[in-house]
Each structure stands twice: as C-alpha cells, then as structure tokens.
C-alpha cells in the first residue's frame, strides 16, 4: 500500500515542529543546566569537603553535617528563619487574600491592579533602605508620628523582640500586591453563576466566601503558599541591608549564616552543607504542604 502525499507531508511537518520546539527550549535548557543543575551538583559535592579559596577541596565525608548538627548558631538561625516565615506568610496571605477578594467583588479596575502591584516593582534593597530611614529610632518619621500619640521611640532595628517582625512586615509590604494578583487570578476561575445561585438563596457575602470562594480557591492558594514559603526561607537582602544579622543574632536568618560562612570566613564546604540542609528542608515542606493541601485537585471537578 502506498502512502499518500498528504500523509508524508504531515509526518514531515511533525518532524520539523519537533526540531523547532527543541531549538526554542535549547537556550532555557542550557541556562537551567549551567546556572541551576551544575551549581547544585557542585554544591552538594562541596558539602562533603573541606574547602577554602586557598586550598583545593579535601574529602571529609559527613564531617560538615556532624558539625552542623552540633552548631548552636545554625539552630538559632533556623529558629529565627522559621519565625520570620510564620510572620511574613501569615500576614502576607491574609492581607493579599483580602485585597484580592475586594478587587474581585468591588472593582476590577486595571489601574487599581497596577497600583497594587507597584511595591513589587521596587527592589528589596531599595525597600530595605527606605524603611531603614522611616523606622529609624531617632530621625525616622514612623517614630516621630508615634511620638505624637505618646508612644515610643521604638527600636525597630536594634531591639531583639522587634527586629524580625519589622523585617517580615517590610517584605509583606513589598510582596503582598504580587501575591494578591496571583490569588485574584485564581478567583477569576471560579464560575460567577455559583455566586448568583447562592445570592438567590439568600447567602451573605461572608457565607459565600466561606462556602464557595475558599473551597474553590484552595488549589491556587496552596500553590501560592508553596511559592511564598520557599521565597521567605531564602530571605537575605533585607537582613543584609538593615541589620547584618543583629542585634545579638536576633535576625541572623539561615541565608545570612550561609553567606557569612562562605564569604566572610571562607568555609565554602560548611556553607555548602548548610545550603544542602536548607534545600532538604524546603523539599520536605513543599512535598508535605502539596500533599496535605491537595494542590493538584480541584473541587470544581
């Protein structure tokens, strides 16, 4: 049986499309290999070595990990990081959810969405410098305003009890607009006829939020939480600009501790072990949260 010209042409076009697709993904694949996969493999190898800039890597096995488990500074940095994540994610998620629901229920203005996203366009370093001035103990406008009400001055950056909440809320201000737009995109996927039917049955806005919005928003909200938690565990620039880990290690987050070991003490092997530990922590948290939140399932099905 002979093959028709149209069938041969279809197969030829399919082969051409595959080659074109590989050509388009090649730059991204090369970037992924060079800037992510290879550094990760190299970092894992270095975590089993004693390595400084002055000597070649020397294999020491699990010595760095045993040292890490006995390192009180590491455990303090982990506790500080978890505290930061809890405050940052808790406040950011609630505020972003409220903003997203208000945008969906009251107005869907493009201008308003642009304004909400504006803080995210400011770099972390710039935001940290601005809030460093605003919250300064002596000259900051925030403490001047609090003084009008007989409060303060509050040592936002130099008090052990205030420093992590302050850093967390600065980053809430910067990221809440972006998180709100992600949640807003999820709200757009909820069919409007569900709200109309509930409204016809006499449901209030609060009841519709609890029984329609939250259950159907769960997959998107779970993915947003996974993304924001991963980003929060990697906080560094705000701490580096404002406190350098002080006072008395009260804001020395895990990324700051890794940086100090690598570029201040030149202990690249130990810093690599700390980085691998952070990677494992994030993998466990992501997998657990994904399974518990059933992020891959939707109640619309």
């Amino acid at each position: 049986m002979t093959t028709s010209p149209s069938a041969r042409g279809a197969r030829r076009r399919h082969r051409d499309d595959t080659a074109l697709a590989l050509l388009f993904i090649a730059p991204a694949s090369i970037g992924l290999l060079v800037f992510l996969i290879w550094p990760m493999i190299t970092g894992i190898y270095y975590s089993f070595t004693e390595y400084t800039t002055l000597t070649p890597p020397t294999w020491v096995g699990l010595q760095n990990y045993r040292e890490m488990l006995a390192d009180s500074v590491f455990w303090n940095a982990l506790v500080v990081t978890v505290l930061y994540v809890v405050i940052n994610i808790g406040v950011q998620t609630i505020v972003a959810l409220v903003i997203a629901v208000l945008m969906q229920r009251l107005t869907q203005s493009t201008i308003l969405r642009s304004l909400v996203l504006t803080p995210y366009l400011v770099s972390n370093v710039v935001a940290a410098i601005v809030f460093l001035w605003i919250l300064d103990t002596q000259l900051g406008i925030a403490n001047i305003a609090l003084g009008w009400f007989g409060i303060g001055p509050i040592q936002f950056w130099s008090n052990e009890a205030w420093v992590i909440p302050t850093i967390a809320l600065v980053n809430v201000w910067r990221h809440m607009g972006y998180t709100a737009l992600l949640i807003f995109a999820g709200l757009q996927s909820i069919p409007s006829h569900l709200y109309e039917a509930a409204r016809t049955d006499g449901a209030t806005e609060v009841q519709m939020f609890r029984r329609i919005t939250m259950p159907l928003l769960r997959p998107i909200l779970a993915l947003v939480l996974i993304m924001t938690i991963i980003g929060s565990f990697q906080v560094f620039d705000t701490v580096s600009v404002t406190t350098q880990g002080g006072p008395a290690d009260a804001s020395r987050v895990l990324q700051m501790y890794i940086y100090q070991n690598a570029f201040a003490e030149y202990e690249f092997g130990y810093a690599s072990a700390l980085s691998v530990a952070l990677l494992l922590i994030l993998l466990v948290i992501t997998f657990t949260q994904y399974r518990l939140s059933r992020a891959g399932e939707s109640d619309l099905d």
Side-chain angles (χ1 to χ4, degrees), residues 78-114:
L78 183 59
V79 171
V80 170
T81 304
V82 170
L83 176 62
Y84 166 83
V85 171
V86 169
I87 297 174
N88 181 58
I89 297 302
V91 177
Q92 182 183 153
T93 304
I94 293 174
V95 173
L97 182 59
V98 171
I99 293 174
V101 171
L102 289 176
M103 285 195 300
Q104 191 228 13
R105 305 300 292 163
L106 300 180
T107 178
Q108 297 187 18
S109 169
T110 304
I111 296 177
L112 180 60
R113 275 179 274 173
S114 301

mmCIF file of all heavy atoms in Angstrom, residues 78-114:
data_model
loop_
_atom_site.group_PDB
_atom_site.id
_atom_site.type_symbol
_atom_site.label_atom_id
_atom_site.label_comp_id
_atom_site.label_asym_id
_atom_site.label_seq_id
_atom_site.Cartn_x
_atom_site.Cartn_y
_atom_site.Cartn_z
ATOM 1 N N LEU A 78 18.030 28.774 62.204
ATOM 2 C CA LEU A 78 16.847 28.069 61.700
ATOM 3 C C LEU A 78 15.589 28.529 62.436
ATOM 4 O O LEU A 78 14.541 28.756 61.809
ATOM 5 C CB LEU A 78 17.042 26.559 61.873
ATOM 6 C CG LEU A 78 15.918 25.669 61.339
ATOM 7 C CD1 LEU A 78 15.695 25.901 59.845
ATOM 8 C CD2 LEU A 78 16.226 24.200 61.604
ATOM 9 N N VAL A 79 15.685 28.687 63.750
ATOM 10 C CA VAL A 79 14.529 29.167 64.529
ATOM 11 C C VAL A 79 14.150 30.584 64.102
ATOM 12 O O VAL A 79 12.957 30.896 63.931
ATOM 13 C CB VAL A 79 14.848 29.116 66.044
ATOM 14 C CG1 VAL A 79 13.744 29.826 66.838
ATOM 15 C CG2 VAL A 79 14.983 27.671 66.504
ATOM 16 N N VAL A 80 15.142 31.447 63.935
ATOM 17 C CA VAL A 80 14.887 32.824 63.503
ATOM 18 C C VAL A 80 14.223 32.834 62.120
ATOM 19 O O VAL A 80 13.274 33.593 61.876
ATOM 20 C CB VAL A 80 16.197 33.629 63.475
ATOM 21 C CG1 VAL A 80 15.998 34.977 62.795
ATOM 22 C CG2 VAL A 80 16.715 33.840 64.891
ATOM 23 N N THR A 81 14.699 31.975 61.223
ATOM 24 C CA THR A 81 14.127 31.911 59.882
ATOM 25 C C THR A 81 12.682 31.439 59.924
ATOM 26 O O THR A 81 11.816 31.993 59.231
ATOM 27 C CB THR A 81 14.959 30.961 58.997
ATOM 28 O OG1 THR A 81 16.318 31.392 58.989
ATOM 29 C CG2 THR A 81 14.436 30.956 57.574
ATOM 30 N N VAL A 82 12.398 30.421 60.721
ATOM 31 C CA VAL A 82 11.027 29.911 60.840
ATOM 32 C C VAL A 82 10.114 30.991 61.411
ATOM 33 O O VAL A 82 8.964 31.164 60.950
ATOM 34 C CB VAL A 82 10.999 28.642 61.711
ATOM 35 C CG1 VAL A 82 9.556 28.242 62.034
ATOM 36 C CG2 VAL A 82 11.712 27.497 61.001
ATOM 37 N N LEU A 83 10.593 31.725 62.419
ATOM 38 C CA LEU A 83 9.790 32.819 62.987
ATOM 39 C C LEU A 83 9.480 33.860 61.922
ATOM 40 O O LEU A 83 8.340 34.327 61.805
ATOM 41 C CB LEU A 83 10.548 33.457 64.156
ATOM 42 C CG LEU A 83 9.887 34.691 64.798
ATOM 43 C CD1 LEU A 83 8.530 34.330 65.386
ATOM 44 C CD2 LEU A 83 10.804 35.286 65.864
ATOM 45 N N TYR A 84 10.486 34.213 61.137
ATOM 46 C CA TYR A 84 10.273 35.173 60.047
ATOM 47 C C TYR A 84 9.242 34.650 59.056
ATOM 48 O O TYR A 84 8.326 35.385 58.639
ATOM 49 C CB TYR A 84 11.589 35.446 59.330
ATOM 50 C CG TYR A 84 11.404 36.152 58.011
ATOM 51 C CD1 TYR A 84 11.259 37.534 57.946
ATOM 52 C CD2 TYR A 84 11.336 35.432 56.819
ATOM 53 C CE1 TYR A 84 11.066 38.175 56.739
ATOM 54 C CE2 TYR A 84 11.139 36.067 55.602
ATOM 55 C CZ TYR A 84 11.004 37.433 55.570
ATOM 56 O OH TYR A 84 10.799 38.066 54.368
ATOM 57 N N VAL A 85 9.347 33.385 58.665
ATOM 58 C CA VAL A 85 8.430 32.799 57.681
ATOM 59 C C VAL A 85 7.006 32.803 58.211
ATOM 60 O O VAL A 85 6.057 33.145 57.481
ATOM 61 C CB VAL A 85 8.875 31.372 57.318
ATOM 62 C CG1 VAL A 85 7.810 30.672 56.473
ATOM 63 C CG2 VAL A 85 10.194 31.403 56.560
ATOM 64 N N VAL A 86 6.825 32.434 59.462
ATOM 65 C CA VAL A 86 5.479 32.386 60.047
ATOM 66 C C VAL A 86 4.825 33.766 60.032
ATOM 67 O O VAL A 86 3.669 33.926 59.627
ATOM 68 C CB VAL A 86 5.544 31.825 61.485
ATOM 69 C CG1 VAL A 86 4.196 32.014 62.193
ATOM 70 C CG2 VAL A 86 5.921 30.349 61.462
ATOM 71 N N ILE A 87 5.571 34.788 60.461
ATOM 72 C CA ILE A 87 5.008 36.143 60.490
ATOM 73 C C ILE A 87 4.763 36.653 59.077
ATOM 74 O O ILE A 87 3.688 37.164 58.759
ATOM 75 C CB ILE A 87 5.953 37.098 61.244
ATOM 76 C CG1 ILE A 87 6.092 36.667 62.703
ATOM 77 C CG2 ILE A 87 5.425 38.538 61.176
ATOM 78 C CD1 ILE A 87 7.124 37.474 63.483
ATOM 79 N N ASN A 88 5.754 36.502 58.210
ATOM 80 C CA ASN A 88 5.655 37.031 56.854
ATOM 81 C C ASN A 88 4.532 36.367 56.072
ATOM 82 O O ASN A 88 3.686 37.044 55.468
ATOM 83 C CB ASN A 88 6.993 36.829 56.139
ATOM 84 C CG ASN A 88 6.988 37.379 54.735
ATOM 85 O OD1 ASN A 88 6.737 38.561 54.513
ATOM 86 N ND2 ASN A 88 7.260 36.536 53.759
ATOM 87 N N ILE A 89 4.496 35.035 56.069
ATOM 88 C CA ILE A 89 3.484 34.314 55.293
ATOM 89 C C ILE A 89 2.101 34.499 55.896
ATOM 90 O O ILE A 89 1.112 34.677 55.170
ATOM 91 C CB ILE A 89 3.835 32.819 55.208
ATOM 92 C CG1 ILE A 89 5.157 32.642 54.456
ATOM 93 C CG2 ILE A 89 2.729 32.043 54.513
ATOM 94 C CD1 ILE A 89 5.145 33.207 53.055
ATOM 95 N N GLY A 90 1.997 34.465 57.228
ATOM 96 C CA GLY A 90 0.692 34.637 57.859
ATOM 97 C C GLY A 90 0.054 35.972 57.527
ATOM 98 O O GLY A 90 -1.088 36.035 57.056
ATOM 99 N N VAL A 91 0.796 37.053 57.739
ATOM 100 C CA VAL A 91 0.258 38.388 57.475
ATOM 101 C C VAL A 91 0.071 38.607 55.975
ATOM 102 O O VAL A 91 -0.967 39.127 55.536
ATOM 103 C CB VAL A 91 1.182 39.468 58.071
ATOM 104 C CG1 VAL A 91 0.664 40.864 57.741
ATOM 105 C CG2 VAL A 91 1.305 39.296 59.579
ATOM 106 N N GLN A 92 1.072 38.220 55.179
ATOM 107 C CA GLN A 92 1.010 38.463 53.745
ATOM 108 C C GLN A 92 -0.170 37.746 53.094
ATOM 109 O O GLN A 92 -0.875 38.328 52.263
ATOM 110 C CB GLN A 92 2.313 38.004 53.088
ATOM 111 C CG GLN A 92 2.370 38.247 51.591
ATOM 112 C CD GLN A 92 3.646 37.695 50.979
ATOM 113 O OE1 GLN A 92 3.678 37.346 49.813
ATOM 114 N NE2 GLN A 92 4.712 37.612 51.754
ATOM 115 N N THR A 93 -0.418 36.502 53.481
ATOM 116 C CA THR A 93 -1.503 35.738 52.877
ATOM 117 C C THR A 93 -2.856 36.329 53.222
ATOM 118 O O THR A 93 -3.733 36.465 52.348
ATOM 119 C CB THR A 93 -1.437 34.267 53.331
ATOM 120 O OG1 THR A 93 -0.153 33.726 53.001
ATOM 121 C CG2 THR A 93 -2.514 33.445 52.658
ATOM 122 N N ILE A 94 -3.047 36.700 54.481
ATOM 123 C CA ILE A 94 -4.332 37.268 54.896
ATOM 124 C C ILE A 94 -4.585 38.601 54.198
ATOM 125 O O ILE A 94 -5.671 38.834 53.643
ATOM 126 C CB ILE A 94 -4.364 37.441 56.433
ATOM 127 C CG1 ILE A 94 -4.356 36.075 57.117
ATOM 128 C CG2 ILE A 94 -5.607 38.232 56.854
ATOM 129 C CD1 ILE A 94 -4.229 36.149 58.629
ATOM 130 N N VAL A 95 -3.585 39.484 54.196
ATOM 131 C CA VAL A 95 -3.745 40.793 53.561
ATOM 132 C C VAL A 95 -3.969 40.645 52.057
ATOM 133 O O VAL A 95 -4.850 41.291 51.470
ATOM 134 C CB VAL A 95 -2.517 41.680 53.845
ATOM 135 C CG1 VAL A 95 -2.602 42.983 53.048
ATOM 136 C CG2 VAL A 95 -2.412 41.985 55.331
ATOM 137 N N ALA A 96 -3.178 39.771 51.410
ATOM 138 C CA ALA A 96 -3.318 39.569 49.966
ATOM 139 C C ALA A 96 -4.677 38.969 49.617
ATOM 140 O O ALA A 96 -5.290 39.351 48.607
ATOM 141 C CB ALA A 96 -2.200 38.661 49.454
ATOM 142 N N LEU A 97 -5.166 38.054 50.438
ATOM 143 C CA LEU A 97 -6.479 37.457 50.180
ATOM 144 C C LEU A 97 -7.589 38.497 50.292
ATOM 145 O O LEU A 97 -8.511 38.535 49.456
ATOM 146 C CB LEU A 97 -6.717 36.315 51.168
ATOM 147 C CG LEU A 97 -8.031 35.533 51.022
ATOM 148 C CD1 LEU A 97 -8.125 34.900 49.640
ATOM 149 C CD2 LEU A 97 -8.140 34.468 52.112
ATOM 150 N N VAL A 98 -7.497 39.358 51.300
ATOM 151 C CA VAL A 98 -8.498 40.420 51.456
ATOM 152 C C VAL A 98 -8.466 41.372 50.259
ATOM 153 O O VAL A 98 -9.508 41.727 49.701
ATOM 154 C CB VAL A 98 -8.250 41.194 52.774
ATOM 155 C CG1 VAL A 98 -9.147 42.433 52.829
ATOM 156 C CG2 VAL A 98 -8.521 40.293 53.969
ATOM 157 N N ILE A 99 -7.262 41.771 49.829
ATOM 158 C CA ILE A 99 -7.145 42.672 48.683
ATOM 159 C C ILE A 99 -7.697 42.022 47.421
ATOM 160 O O ILE A 99 -8.433 42.656 46.647
ATOM 161 C CB ILE A 99 -5.664 43.066 48.474
ATOM 162 C CG1 ILE A 99 -5.170 43.928 49.628
ATOM 163 C CG2 ILE A 99 -5.486 43.822 47.155
ATOM 164 C CD1 ILE A 99 -3.682 44.238 49.571
ATOM 165 N N ALA A 100 -7.382 40.739 47.204
ATOM 166 C CA ALA A 100 -7.846 40.049 46.003
ATOM 167 C C ALA A 100 -9.361 39.930 45.981
ATOM 168 O O ALA A 100 -9.999 40.148 44.937
ATOM 169 C CB ALA A 100 -7.208 38.663 45.925
ATOM 170 N N VAL A 101 -9.957 39.589 47.116
ATOM 171 C CA VAL A 101 -11.420 39.458 47.179
ATOM 172 C C VAL A 101 -12.088 40.805 46.964
ATOM 173 O O VAL A 101 -13.114 40.903 46.254
ATOM 174 C CB VAL A 101 -11.840 38.843 48.529
ATOM 175 C CG1 VAL A 101 -13.355 38.905 48.694
ATOM 176 C CG2 VAL A 101 -11.363 37.401 48.630
ATOM 177 N N LEU A 102 -11.519 41.868 47.539
ATOM 178 C CA LEU A 102 -12.094 43.192 47.340
ATOM 179 C C LEU A 102 -12.006 43.610 45.871
ATOM 180 O O LEU A 102 -12.952 44.194 45.328
ATOM 181 C CB LEU A 102 -11.369 44.219 48.222
ATOM 182 C CG LEU A 102 -11.636 44.116 49.727
ATOM 183 C CD1 LEU A 102 -10.781 45.121 50.494
ATOM 184 C CD2 LEU A 102 -13.115 44.332 50.034
ATOM 185 N N MET A 103 -10.890 43.298 45.223
ATOM 186 C CA MET A 103 -10.754 43.628 43.809
ATOM 187 C C MET A 103 -11.753 42.861 42.960
ATOM 188 O O MET A 103 -12.292 43.378 41.985
ATOM 189 C CB MET A 103 -9.325 43.338 43.328
ATOM 190 C CG MET A 103 -8.292 44.348 43.774
ATOM 191 S SD MET A 103 -6.735 44.223 42.852
ATOM 192 C CE MET A 103 -6.227 42.550 43.235
ATOM 193 N N GLN A 104 -12.018 41.619 43.356
ATOM 194 C CA GLN A 104 -12.936 40.810 42.555
ATOM 195 C C GLN A 104 -14.396 41.184 42.800
ATOM 196 O O GLN A 104 -15.196 41.239 41.882
ATOM 197 C CB GLN A 104 -12.727 39.329 42.873
ATOM 198 C CG GLN A 104 -13.454 38.413 41.894
ATOM 199 C CD GLN A 104 -14.252 37.309 42.590
ATOM 200 O OE1 GLN A 104 -14.468 37.355 43.790
ATOM 201 N NE2 GLN A 104 -14.693 36.349 41.822
ATOM 202 N N ARG A 105 -14.728 41.464 44.056
ATOM 203 C CA ARG A 105 -16.133 41.698 44.406
ATOM 204 C C ARG A 105 -16.564 43.146 44.197
ATOM 205 O O ARG A 105 -17.735 43.407 43.941
ATOM 206 C CB ARG A 105 -16.380 41.307 45.875
ATOM 207 C CG ARG A 105 -15.979 39.903 46.232
ATOM 208 C CD ARG A 105 -16.729 38.865 45.428
ATOM 209 N NE ARG A 105 -18.145 38.835 45.780
ATOM 210 C CZ ARG A 105 -19.093 38.275 45.050
ATOM 211 N NH1 ARG A 105 -18.762 37.727 43.892
ATOM 212 N NH2 ARG A 105 -20.339 38.262 45.446
ATOM 213 N N LEU A 106 -15.618 44.111 44.333
ATOM 214 C CA LEU A 106 -15.988 45.518 44.258
ATOM 215 C C LEU A 106 -15.590 46.180 42.948
ATOM 216 O O LEU A 106 -16.363 46.925 42.365
ATOM 217 C CB LEU A 106 -15.370 46.287 45.439
ATOM 218 C CG LEU A 106 -15.792 45.821 46.837
ATOM 219 C CD1 LEU A 106 -15.100 46.664 47.908
ATOM 220 C CD2 LEU A 106 -17.308 45.881 47.000
ATOM 221 N N THR A 107 -14.375 45.930 42.511
ATOM 222 C CA THR A 107 -13.910 46.566 41.280
ATOM 223 C C THR A 107 -12.833 45.711 40.635
ATOM 224 O O THR A 107 -12.088 45.020 41.328
ATOM 225 C CB THR A 107 -13.337 47.964 41.560
ATOM 226 O OG1 THR A 107 -12.856 48.530 40.332
ATOM 227 C CG2 THR A 107 -12.207 47.899 42.548
ATOM 228 N N GLN A 108 -12.769 45.739 39.321
ATOM 229 C CA GLN A 108 -11.727 45.017 38.590
ATOM 230 C C GLN A 108 -10.948 45.999 37.714
ATOM 231 O O GLN A 108 -10.530 45.668 36.604
ATOM 232 C CB GLN A 108 -12.348 43.891 37.762
ATOM 233 C CG GLN A 108 -13.027 42.819 38.613
ATOM 234 C CD GLN A 108 -13.480 41.627 37.801
ATOM 235 O OE1 GLN A 108 -13.026 41.402 36.688
ATOM 236 N NE2 GLN A 108 -14.392 40.845 38.363
ATOM 237 N N SER A 109 -10.751 47.178 38.243
ATOM 238 C CA SER A 109 -10.059 48.229 37.510
ATOM 239 C C SER A 109 -8.606 47.846 37.245
ATOM 240 O O SER A 109 -7.877 47.430 38.154
ATOM 241 C CB SER A 109 -10.117 49.540 38.301
ATOM 242 O OG SER A 109 -9.263 50.498 37.743
ATOM 243 N N THR A 110 -8.180 48.007 36.004
ATOM 244 C CA THR A 110 -6.789 47.736 35.649
ATOM 245 C C THR A 110 -5.848 48.707 36.344
ATOM 246 O O THR A 110 -4.740 48.335 36.756
ATOM 247 C CB THR A 110 -6.606 47.831 34.124
ATOM 248 O OG1 THR A 110 -7.508 46.934 33.476
ATOM 249 C CG2 THR A 110 -5.185 47.488 33.727
ATOM 250 N N ILE A 111 -6.277 49.950 36.501
ATOM 251 C CA ILE A 111 -5.450 50.953 37.181
ATOM 252 C C ILE A 111 -5.223 50.555 38.631
ATOM 253 O O ILE A 111 -4.104 50.643 39.154
ATOM 254 C CB ILE A 111 -6.113 52.343 37.095
ATOM 255 C CG1 ILE A 111 -6.200 52.794 35.634
ATOM 256 C CG2 ILE A 111 -5.357 53.354 37.940
ATOM 257 C CD1 ILE A 111 -6.908 54.112 35.434
ATOM 258 N N LEU A 112 -6.279 50.075 39.286
ATOM 259 C CA LEU A 112 -6.158 49.656 40.685
ATOM 260 C C LEU A 112 -5.215 48.467 40.810
ATOM 261 O O LEU A 112 -4.381 48.418 41.716
ATOM 262 C CB LEU A 112 -7.537 49.299 41.237
ATOM 263 C CG LEU A 112 -7.570 48.828 42.702
ATOM 264 C CD1 LEU A 112 -7.033 49.921 43.612
ATOM 265 C CD2 LEU A 112 -8.985 48.429 43.105
ATOM 266 N N ARG A 113 -5.321 47.518 39.889
ATOM 267 C CA ARG A 113 -4.416 46.368 39.929
ATOM 268 C C ARG A 113 -2.969 46.809 39.712
ATOM 269 O O ARG A 113 -2.050 46.259 40.326
ATOM 270 C CB ARG A 113 -4.822 45.349 38.862
ATOM 271 C CG ARG A 113 -5.904 44.381 39.320
ATOM 272 C CD ARG A 113 -6.272 43.416 38.220
ATOM 273 N NE ARG A 113 -7.295 43.988 37.355
ATOM 274 C CZ ARG A 113 -7.711 43.428 36.227
ATOM 275 N NH1 ARG A 113 -7.173 42.307 35.809
ATOM 276 N NH2 ARG A 113 -8.657 43.995 35.502
ATOM 277 N N SER A 114 -2.748 47.787 38.881
ATOM 278 C CA SER A 114 -1.400 48.303 38.658
ATOM 279 C C SER A 114 -0.853 48.960 39.920
ATOM 280 O O SER A 114 0.318 48.785 40.263
ATOM 281 C CB SER A 114 -1.403 49.302 37.500
ATOM 282 O OG SER A 114 -1.873 48.706 36.306
#
